[in-house]
Amino acid sequence: MSANSSRGGNWPRIRKLCFLTYGTVCHICNEQIDMSLSATNPRSPLAPSVDHLVPKANGGTDTLSNLRPAHVRCNSMRVNQLNTPPTDTSRNWYPNRIPATDDSEDW
Ligand SMILES: [Zn+2]
């Protein structure tokens, strides 16, 4: 239905273009990314990945200008930083059970 469904086919190309455009140095830790891991060990923490400068959750897009090369490790560290609260009381972030309001609530 929406134009968003086109991601599947284009992503590998965009990803490749990102490395061609910005090189193979991680934009987070500034160290070289071993591109051969992409074929031999894509799940390695040092394997190449493409990071979104503006996370998709925040409205970021898959356009080249929003993408930078990053290690899998650095990429996921950054995602965690963005997604987790600064304190370790993550429990508090889960909304408390809101008592169900019965039909007594009338506007
Ligand atoms: Zn890195």
Side-chain angles (χ1 to χ4, degrees), residues 2 11 20 30 34 36-38 41 45 47 49 57-58 72 96 99-100:
S2 75
W11 181 244
L20 286 174
N30 287 316
D34 184 351
S36 68
L37 286 173
S38 178
N41 190 5
S49 78
N58 293 355
V72 166
N96 293 324

Side-chain angles (χ1 to χ4, degrees), residues 25-33 45-46 69-75:
V25 171
C26 172
H27 87 106
I28 296 169
C29 72
N30 287 316
E31 285 178 27
Q32 186 68 40
I33 302 170
L46 295 178
H71 294 110
V72 166
R73 169 192 71 181
C74 301
N75 193 346

Side-chain angles (χ1 to χ4, degrees), residues 18 31 36 40 53 55-56 62 67 77-78 81 84 89 106:
C18 176
E31 285 178 27
S36 68
T40 59
L53 294 179
K56 299 200 74 166
D62 285 341
L67 303 174
M77 264 169 43
R78 210 172 84 91
Q81 274 172 15
T84 52
T89 56
D106 90 52

